[in-house]
Amino acid sequence: MSEKQNNKTMENMIINWGLPDCIKENEDYIVFKFDDKGLLNTKERGYHCEDGNVKFCLYYKRNEKVLFSMDFYKRNQRIMEELKRDKKEINLELLYVHDESLRKIGIASYYIEKLKYYAIQEGIEQIYVRANANAINFKQDNKKNSLSQSELEKFYKNRRSSEMPIVLFT
């Protein structure tokens, strides 16, 4: 399979994750975006799907807003050796609900569970997360309904399982 086909397969897999029930009623207006083309009303950029490195968003066409973004990648073996880490891992760089009215209703939980399932299917041994409630990406955003640093760490710790450990670094 060519790299382009692999990327399309990955995009289709993520699209097939579907939408959580809490926003499913708007599914006719929500699209999965894997590029920046046509994105309005967001500073977040760099959406892509390339060789296991994915950054996608849910874009609400009706009001032209990004609702949610997720960014993750499989760490390549050479880099793992340089870091002296022996477990296959996925790095979760971003899991973010942009729209404050949609926070704390299960969107992030839904997609972390989808990522865990994907990781297990891929023979990944852990998900590595930089948990930073005050990351630069979020500095200008409304903090309404957002998690504090301790709540964010608890969010990830509560999603760990024996099948898929989630390792935090802050």
Side-chain angles (χ1 to χ4, degrees), residues 96-108:
Y96 186 59
V97 179
H98 295 256
D99 184 329
E100 62 270 5
S101 71
L102 297 177
R103 292 180 185 149
K104 296 186 177 179
I105 63 170
I107 297 170

Side-chain angles (χ1 to χ4, degrees), residues 68-71 92-97 108 111-112 155-156:
F68 168 80
S69 294
M70 185 174 197
D71 184 356
L92 177 59
E93 291 291 310
L94 180 67
L95 185 72
Y96 186 59
V97 179
Y111 288 105
I112 192 85
F155 169 84
Y156 287 115

Side-chain angles (χ1 to χ4, degrees), residues 148-160:
S148 68
Q149 183 64 32
S150 61
E151 290 171 324
L152 183 62
E153 290 174 22
K154 185 177 177 191
F155 169 84
Y156 287 115
K157 287 176 182 172
N158 288 342
R159 277 142 192 88
R160 292 176 175 160

Side-chain angles (χ1 to χ4, degrees), residues 41-55:
N41 302 314
T42 185
K43 293 176 287 308
E44 197 65 44
R45 290 285 181 244
Y47 294 101
H48 60 273
C49 183
E50 298 163 357
D51 195 29
N53 184 334
V54 179
K55 183 175 183 181

Side-chain angles (χ1 to χ4, degrees), residues 95-148:
L95 185 72
Y96 186 59
V97 179
H98 295 256
D99 184 329
E100 62 270 5
S101 71
L102 297 177
R103 292 180 185 149
K104 296 186 177 179
I105 63 170
I107 297 170
S109 298
Y110 180 86
Y111 288 105
I112 192 85
E113 291 304 316
K114 295 296 184 180
L115 183 64
K116 283 171 51 181
Y117 179 77
Y118 165 71
I120 291 166
Q121 300 304 113
E122 291 291 305
I124 301 297
E125 297 169 273
Q126 65 187 21
I127 297 172
Y128 203 69
V129 179
R130 180 185 310 265
N132 183 356
N134 299 306
I136 261 172
N137 312 43
F138 319 134
K139 283 287 184 217
Q140 304 302 314
D141 290 0
N142 186 327
K143 297 290 187 204
K144 185 177 180 191
N145 294 326
S146 64
L147 300 180
S148 68

Side-chain angles (χ1 to χ4, degrees), residues 3-129:
E3 188 176 316
K4 193 171 189 162
Q5 287 171 310
N6 282 338
N7 295 341
K8 202 66 183 157
T9 299
M10 185 78 173
E11 285 181 19
N12 288 333
M13 181 199 73
I14 291 168
I15 291 167
N16 286 330
W17 287 355
L19 299 173
D21 288 341
C22 57
I23 59 172
K24 209 172 194 97
E25 68 194 30
N26 293 306
E27 70 184 326
D28 292 344
Y29 302 103
I30 298 172
V31 293
F32 286 79
K33 292 283 290 168
F34 298 92
D35 60 40
D36 297 343
K37 289 183 204 132
L39 288 181
L40 306 170
N41 302 314
T42 185
K43 293 176 287 308
E44 197 65 44
R45 290 285 181 244
Y47 294 101
H48 60 273
C49 183
E50 298 163 357
D51 195 29
N53 184 334
V54 179
K55 183 175 183 181
F56 75 93
C57 69
L58 299 179
Y59 189 70
Y60 192 57
K61 296 184 295 186
R62 205 174 214 180
N63 66 3
E64 300 179 325
K65 287 195 175 172
V66 173
L67 304 177
F68 168 80
S69 294
M70 185 174 197
D71 184 356
F72 63 92
Y73 63 92
K74 285 190 218 176
R75 183 100 57 184
N76 98 17
Q77 198 56 44
R78 187 182 52 76
I79 292 172
M80 293 297 292
E81 289 166 9
E82 287 174 16
L83 293 172
K84 299 193 179 355
R85 298 228 282 274
D86 58 354
K87 293 190 177 195
K88 287 184 177 178
E89 65 185 41
I90 285 181
N91 280 49
L92 177 59
E93 291 291 310
L94 180 67
L95 185 72
Y96 186 59
V97 179
H98 295 256
D99 184 329
E100 62 270 5
S101 71
L102 297 177
R103 292 180 185 149
K104 296 186 177 179
I105 63 170
I107 297 170
S109 298
Y110 180 86
Y111 288 105
I112 192 85
E113 291 304 316
K114 295 296 184 180
L115 183 64
K116 283 171 51 181
Y117 179 77
Y118 165 71
I120 291 166
Q121 300 304 113
E122 291 291 305
I124 301 297
E125 297 169 273
Q126 65 187 21
I127 297 172
Y128 203 69
V129 179

